[in-house]
Amino acid sequence: MAKQTFDIKNHLLVPKHTKVSDKEKKLILEKYSLSVFDLPLIKKNDPAIKDLDLKPGDVVKIVRKSATAGESIFYRSVINV
Amino acid sequence: MADIFKEYEGKLPQKILTDLKQFMPAKASQTKIKQICEQVVKEYNESKADPGECIGNISAESIGEPGTQMTLNTFHFAGVAEMNVTVGLPRIIEILDGRKELKTPSMEIYLKKPHSQGTDIKKLALSIKETTLDDITSEFQINIVDLSVEIMLDKQIMKDAGITNTIVANALKKYTKGYNLKQQDDSFVIKSKSKDANLNDLYKIKEKLKPVHLKGIKGVTQVLPVKRDNEYLIITAGSNLKDVLKLDVVDASRTVTNNIYEIADLFGIEAARQSIINEVFGVIENQGLNVDIRHIMLVADTMCNSGIVKGITRYGIVSQKSSVLAKASFETPLKHIINSALIGEVDPLDSVVENVMINQPVPIGTGLPSLVTKIKK
């Protein structure tokens, strides 16, 4: 059978991941009075952020599709494996 | 009117905003709209969980009570050819425990047009199903005198599955190094090249050849085309999402498996979280029960907090608790206490269970805030 290549970003289950700028990151951490690794974590080699070129300590903004809120924003900080 | 709503974009969730826009009377004046919005914001803020509210407990009760009414059995799939699906309580336990080996792994494969309208759906389904040598063989014969194995092929099954002798020969070549492979009309004869072959080796090679993969997707044992909402899709027993997504007839953006770990490996932790919610909510809905989806979201968020999927077991999220006493109160208390005694662990007593144990007020609700003195330097 013929093959295709599939970009996982187009999958229904995968929400949009973007890198958070340093300025914005500071604001987020101040707002919730957290240090970076108190946020929920995401692995550096997670398929959804593979081509964002992130290093540990960066924060990823995730725009989830939510059944209750329509759209909800979530943050995760990047860790080494 | 749109300007007023823009003001509230950070304050209200998107869904409430769209509802507001939709139901706002067309004749309402600017001030009225503003008043309504303010009232909605007030109500929304009051409906939020307060700091210190024990939402975990509420979730546990809300999922646990309907859980008692769930079925304990696995069901046959709508009366069709021997396909089982785990449903009800066993499935919920399976998901929340974060099991890696599922009782009934399964995929839902969506197709691209025109196959989604039913074109060639049966043929397509069969081509996805895995066919092994064992499936097309009518008999394995071991010839003790010649020291050879004869594989008798079932022509009819081969024809139905679209397998030719060449496919079989190519597949067998890889696994029969050191053996002579001779092809006859409807059978293959395997004989060892070396002279000191014995019967044991023959048995071994026979067993080794049985699961040789000939056609289809590895791991898919059964296929079932079904119609859902004016569209045909294929439900499978056995799961191998990675290989299925590579097929170009498959609508990869919607195709899913019920194995959370497979999703996490392929699509990442956020997809795994969404998948946990979908799976648990699906089971509960299927049983005719009513649980607010926010409770399930909380569980899913907890399971995916550390970047990998962790079940609610003593090896999963419970092992992450900072308190020794809290860990000990869940399962295997002695092990936890001895281990922490060995490394001199300190319990900061800043959570619920350990404070209940030693008869102290727990830090929830009004017990949460405490007084801190600010020392002037």
Side-chain angles (χ1 to χ4, degrees):
Chain A
M1 225 182 284
K3 302 269 159 122
Q4 68 173 352
T5 47
F6 174 62
D7 186 2
I8 61 144
K9 283 198 203 93
N10 299 329
H11 197 274
L12 215 62
L13 290 173
V14 183
K16 201 176 171 214
H17 294 59
T18 41
K19 190 187 166 179
V20 167
S21 68
D22 283 351
K23 208 171 140 194
E24 211 179 326
K25 177 174 150 188
K26 215 179 142 197
L27 282 177
I28 296 160
L29 296 179
E30 242 162 52
K31 184 180 170 191
Y32 298 104
S33 54
L34 295 169
S35 66
V36 182
F37 294 109
D38 290 337
L39 283 170
L41 308 171
I42 188 166
K43 284 195 294 182
K44 197 178 140 196
N45 61 0
D46 194 279
I49 57 165
K50 242 180 196 164
D51 44 5
L52 283 182
D53 189 27
L54 298 160
K55 55 184 190 304
D58 283 341
V59 173
V60 184
K61 179 181 172 183
I62 296 152
V63 184
R64 290 170 172 174
K65 276 178 223 119
S66 159
T68 50
E71 223 170 54
S72 73
I73 293 169
F74 200 73
Y75 299 98
R76 281 180 190 272
S77 55
V78 180
I79 49 161
N80 256 331
V81 183
Chain B
M1 199 161 113
D3 305 340
I4 302 176
F5 288 124
K6 206 142 214 179
E7 229 174 88
Y8 290 93
E9 243 158 39
K11 297 179 189 168
L12 287 171
Q14 196 202 38
K15 200 173 179 191
I16 295 183
L17 268 179
T18 37
D19 280 359
L20 256 179
K21 277 178 204 165
Q22 195 187 338
F23 295 111
M24 189 66 75
K27 279 185 278 175
S29 67
Q30 295 273 337
T31 36
K32 274 269 154 67
I33 294 175
K34 188 114 192 164
Q35 270 178 358
I36 294 171
C37 287
E38 281 304 322
Q39 189 64 30
V40 171
V41 171
K42 200 180 150 212
E43 291 283 336
Y44 170 68
N45 283 329
E46 273 173 19
S47 70
K48 282 181 180 172
D50 297 321
E53 192 163 342
C54 31
I55 47 171
N57 248 332
I58 298 171
S59 285
E61 283 178 8
S62 308
I63 297 171
E65 192 276 333
T68 60
Q69 298 168 37
M70 264 188 272
T71 171
L72 295 167
N73 295 320
T74 55
F75 266 120
H76 281 272
F77 200 91
V80 198
E82 286 181 45
M83 180 111 66
N84 278 323
V85 223
T86 321
V87 290
L89 200 60
R91 175 68 185 139
I92 297 258
I93 293 171
E94 201 172 70
I95 301 166
L96 298 188
D97 274 3
R99 300 227 175 111
K100 282 189 174 148
E101 296 290 322
L102 301 184
K103 240 186 199 168
T104 52
S106 151
M107 287 186 287
E108 277 179 18
I109 303 173
Y110 286 87
L111 301 164
K112 283 183 187 156
K113 275 181 178 172
H115 302 289
S116 63
Q117 300 308 315
T119 318
D120 290 341
I121 184 99
K122 269 195 180 147
K123 213 173 118 194
L124 215 63
L126 273 178
S127 72
I128 287 171
K129 185 179 172 182
E130 183 183 20
T131 314
T132 59
L133 188 66
D134 202 25
D135 293 332
I136 59 158
T137 308
S138 56
E139 204 178 352
F140 285 91
Q141 274 181 352
I142 290 187
N143 192 328
I144 302 175
V145 186
D146 284 352
L147 285 178
S148 67
V149 185
E150 193 175 354
I151 304 166
M152 316 278 276
L153 301 174
D154 191 319
K155 279 279 157 203
Q156 190 57 43
I157 298 177
M158 277 176 76
K159 204 177 153 196
D160 289 347
I163 290 170
T164 56
N165 276 348
T166 5
I167 295 177
V168 181
N170 283 337
L172 287 182
K173 251 179 214 160
K174 278 185 225 159
Y175 295 89
T176 51
K177 277 176 190 143
Y179 289 87
N180 275 325
L181 190 66
K182 212 166 84 191
Q183 188 180 333
Q184 284 162 9
D185 182 31
D186 55 352
S187 68
F188 282 88
V189 179
I190 294 163
K191 202 170 176 187
S192 179
K193 278 175 187 165
S194 63
K195 277 174 186 166
D196 52 339
N198 59 36
L199 214 53
N200 254 346
D201 291 341
L202 280 181
Y203 269 114
K204 264 182 206 158
I205 188 102
K206 186 191 105 185
E207 290 306 315
K208 210 171 109 189
L209 287 179
K210 271 186 187 174
V212 165
H213 171 85
L214 293 178
K215 200 169 178 262
I217 306 281
K218 261 183 198 167
V220 177
T221 52
Q222 273 172 23
V223 285
L224 183 69
V226 292
K227 197 176 184 186
R228 192 183 290 166
D229 301 336
N230 294 321
E231 181 178 27
Y232 284 92
L233 58 139
I234 298 169
I235 293 179
T236 68
S239 175
N240 186 348
L241 193 58
K242 199 178 175 184
D243 288 355
V244 167
L245 291 183
K246 285 180 190 156
L247 302 177
D248 75 340
V249 288
V250 170
D251 181 358
S253 67
R254 289 185 294 160
T255 298
V256 288
T257 168
N258 67 352
N259 189 341
I260 311 290
Y261 284 91
E262 235 181 296
I263 301 253
D265 282 347
L266 277 175
F267 299 143
I269 190 71
E270 276 295 319
R273 170 196 171 266
Q274 189 58 48
S275 169
I276 292 173
I277 297 172
N278 292 350
E279 288 287 325
V280 174
F281 196 65
V283 173
I284 290 171
E285 218 172 32
N286 199 310
Q287 300 274 308
L289 302 170
N290 197 7
V291 175
D292 196 292
I293 198 164
R294 291 171 185 85
H295 299 306
I296 301 159
M297 285 169 160
L298 179 71
V299 177
D301 271 335
T302 315
M303 285 173 71
C304 297
N305 190 45
S306 58
I308 47 173
V309 181
K310 285 193 165 166
I312 304 174
T313 62
R314 62 171 177 269
Y315 310 107
I317 61 165
V318 178
S319 69
Q320 283 182 310
K321 286 189 178 184
S322 57
S323 160
V324 189
L325 291 175
K327 276 187 275 185
S329 77
F330 185 68
E331 272 166 12
T332 57
L334 269 185
K335 200 181 92 187
H336 285 298
I337 290 170
I338 290 170
N339 280 343
S340 22
L342 282 174
I343 57 170
E345 217 172 288
V346 178
D347 196 325
L349 296 180
D350 50 11
S351 184
V352 179
V353 193
E354 54 268 37
N355 280 302
V356 172
M357 277 182 179
I358 59 168
N359 204 15
Q360 268 196 160
V362 287
I364 52 168
T366 50
L368 185 66
S370 55
L371 289 174
V372 177
T373 320
K374 209 173 190 178
I375 300 165
K376 271 187 185 164
K377 280 173 192 169

Coordinates of all heavy atoms in Angstrom, one line a residue, chain B residues 6 22 52 58 63 69 76 80 92 126 128 149 152 155 160 168 205 207 232 293 310 330 332 351 357 363-364 371:
Chain B
K6 N -14.2 42.8 23.6 CA -12.8 42.7 23.5 C -12.1 43.0 24.9 O -11.1 42.3 25.3 CB -12.2 43.7 22.5 CG -10.9 43.3 21.9 CD -10.8 43.6 20.5 CE -10.1 42.6 19.7 NZ -10.0 42.9 18.3
Q22 N -23.7 35.7 21.5 CA -24.8 35.0 20.7 C -26.2 35.4 21.4 O -27.1 35.7 20.7 CB -24.6 33.5 20.8 CG -25.5 32.8 19.8 CD -25.4 31.3 19.9 OE1 -24.4 30.8 20.5 NE2 -26.4 30.6 19.5
G52 N -7.5 26.5 48.5 CA -7.6 25.7 49.6 C -8.8 24.7 49.6 O -8.9 23.9 50.5
I58 N -13.1 16.0 46.0 CA -14.4 16.1 45.4 C -14.4 15.3 44.1 O -15.4 14.6 43.8 CB -14.7 17.6 45.1 CG1 -14.8 18.4 46.4 CG2 -16.0 17.7 44.3 CD1 -14.9 19.9 46.2
I63 N -16.1 10.7 40.8 CA -15.9 9.6 39.9 C -16.2 8.3 40.6 O -16.7 7.3 40.0 CB -14.4 9.6 39.4 CG1 -14.2 10.9 38.6 CG2 -14.1 8.5 38.5 CD1 -12.7 11.2 38.2
Q69 N -21.6 1.8 40.1 CA -22.7 1.3 39.3 C -22.3 0.8 38.0 O -23.1 0.4 37.2 CB -23.7 2.5 39.1 CG -24.3 3.0 40.3 CD -25.0 4.3 40.1 OE1 -25.7 4.5 39.1 NE2 -24.9 5.2 41.0
H76 N -19.0 -8.2 24.4 CA -18.8 -8.5 23.0 C -19.2 -7.3 22.1 O -20.1 -6.6 22.5 CB -19.6 -9.7 22.6 CG -19.0 -11.0 23.0 ND1 -18.1 -11.7 22.3 CD2 -19.1 -11.7 24.2 CE1 -17.7 -12.7 22.9 NE2 -18.3 -12.8 24.1
V80 N -20.8 -8.8 16.8 CA -20.0 -9.1 15.6 C -18.8 -10.0 15.9 O -18.1 -9.7 16.9 CB -19.6 -7.8 14.9 CG1 -19.2 -8.1 13.4 CG2 -20.6 -6.8 14.9
I92 N -11.7 1.7 33.2 CA -11.4 2.9 34.0 C -10.1 2.6 34.8 O -9.2 3.4 34.9 CB -12.5 3.3 34.9 CG1 -13.8 3.6 34.1 CG2 -12.1 4.4 35.9 CD1 -14.0 5.1 34.0
L126 N -9.3 -5.8 5.3 CA -8.6 -7.0 5.2 C -7.1 -6.8 5.0 O -6.2 -7.5 5.5 CB -9.1 -8.0 4.2 CG -10.3 -8.9 4.6 CD1 -10.8 -9.7 3.4 CD2 -9.9 -9.8 5.8
I128 N -5.4 -4.4 6.1 CA -4.7 -3.9 7.3 C -4.5 -5.0 8.3 O -3.5 -5.0 9.0 CB -5.6 -2.8 7.9 CG1 -5.6 -1.5 7.1 CG2 -5.2 -2.5 9.4 CD1 -6.5 -0.5 7.5
V149 N 11.0 -30.1 7.2 CA 9.7 -29.6 7.6 C 8.9 -29.2 6.4 O 9.4 -28.6 5.5 CB 9.8 -28.3 8.5 CG1 8.4 -27.9 9.0 CG2 10.7 -28.5 9.7
M152 N 2.3 -27.0 4.5 CA 1.2 -27.1 3.5 C 0.4 -25.8 3.6 O -0.1 -25.5 4.6 CB 0.3 -28.3 3.9 CG 1.0 -29.6 4.3 SD 1.6 -30.5 2.8 CE 0.1 -31.4 2.5
K155 N -4.7 -22.9 -0.1 CA -4.8 -22.0 -1.3 C -5.9 -21.0 -1.2 O -5.8 -19.9 -1.6 CB -5.0 -22.9 -2.6 CG -3.7 -23.5 -3.1 CD -2.9 -22.4 -3.9 CE -1.5 -22.8 -3.9 NZ -0.5 -21.8 -4.2
D160 N -7.9 -15.4 -0.7 CA -8.8 -14.4 0.0 C -7.9 -13.3 0.5 O -8.3 -12.1 0.5 CB -9.6 -15.0 1.1 CG -10.7 -15.9 0.6 OD1 -10.9 -15.8 -0.7 OD2 -11.2 -16.7 1.4
V168 N 5.3 -15.4 0.2 CA 5.7 -16.3 1.3 C 7.1 -16.7 1.2 O 7.9 -16.7 2.2 CB 4.8 -17.6 1.2 CG1 5.1 -18.6 2.3 CG2 3.3 -17.3 1.2
I205 N 12.7 -24.5 14.4 CA 12.5 -23.7 13.2 C 11.0 -23.6 12.9 O 10.5 -22.6 12.5 CB 13.3 -24.1 12.0 CG1 13.2 -23.1 10.9 CG2 12.9 -25.5 11.5 CD1 14.4 -22.3 10.7
E207 N 8.5 -23.7 15.0 CA 7.8 -22.7 15.9 C 8.2 -21.3 15.6 O 7.4 -20.4 15.7 CB 8.2 -23.1 17.4 CG 7.6 -24.3 17.9 CD 6.0 -24.4 17.7 OE1 5.4 -23.3 18.0 OE2 5.5 -25.4 17.3
Y232 N -17.7 5.6 7.0 CA -17.2 4.3 7.4 C -15.8 4.4 8.0 O -15.0 5.2 7.6 CB -17.0 3.4 6.1 CG -18.4 2.9 5.6 CD1 -19.1 3.6 4.7 CD2 -18.9 1.7 6.1 CE1 -20.3 3.1 4.2 CE2 -20.1 1.2 5.7 CZ -20.8 2.0 4.7 OH -22.0 1.5 4.3
I293 N -17.0 16.7 33.4 CA -15.7 16.4 32.7 C -14.6 17.1 33.5 O -13.4 16.7 33.3 CB -15.8 16.9 31.2 CG1 -14.7 16.2 30.4 CG2 -15.8 18.4 31.1 CD1 -14.9 16.3 29.0
K310 N 1.9 9.0 34.2 CA 2.1 8.2 35.4 C 0.7 7.8 35.9 O -0.2 8.6 36.0 CB 2.8 9.0 36.4 CG 4.3 9.1 36.1 CD 5.1 9.7 37.3 CE 6.6 9.4 37.0 NZ 7.4 10.2 38.0
F330 N -0.7 5.0 51.6 CA -1.3 4.6 50.4 C -1.2 3.0 50.3 O -2.2 2.3 50.4 CB -0.8 5.3 49.2 CG -1.5 4.9 47.9 CD1 -2.8 5.3 47.7 CD2 -0.8 4.2 46.9 CE1 -3.4 5.0 46.6 CE2 -1.5 3.9 45.8 CZ -2.8 4.3 45.6
T332 N 1.8 -0.5 50.8 CA 3.1 -0.9 51.3 C 3.8 0.0 52.3 O 4.8 0.6 52.0 CB 4.1 -1.2 50.2 OG1 4.3 0.0 49.4 CG2 3.7 -2.4 49.4
S351 N 1.1 18.6 54.0 CA -0.1 18.2 53.2 C -1.1 17.6 54.2 O -1.0 17.7 55.4 CB 0.4 17.2 52.1 OG -0.7 16.9 51.4
M357 N -2.9 12.0 60.4 CA -2.2 11.0 61.1 C -1.8 11.4 62.5 O -1.9 10.7 63.5 CB -1.0 10.4 60.4 CG -1.3 9.4 59.3 SD 0.2 8.9 58.6 CE -0.3 7.8 57.5
P363 N -4.0 21.5 56.2 CA -3.9 22.7 55.5 C -4.9 22.8 54.3 O -4.5 22.8 53.1 CB -2.5 22.8 55.0 CG -2.1 21.4 54.9 CD -2.9 20.6 56.0
I364 N -6.2 22.7 54.5 CA -7.1 22.9 53.4 C -8.2 23.9 53.9 O -8.3 24.1 55.1 CB -7.9 21.6 53.0 CG1 -8.4 20.9 54.3 CG2 -6.9 20.7 52.3 CD1 -9.4 19.8 53.9
L371 N 0.0 32.7 59.6 CA 0.6 34.1 59.7 C 2.1 34.0 59.5 O 2.8 33.1 60.0 CB 0.3 34.6 61.1 CG -1.2 35.0 61.4 CD1 -1.4 35.3 62.8 CD2 -1.6 36.1 60.5

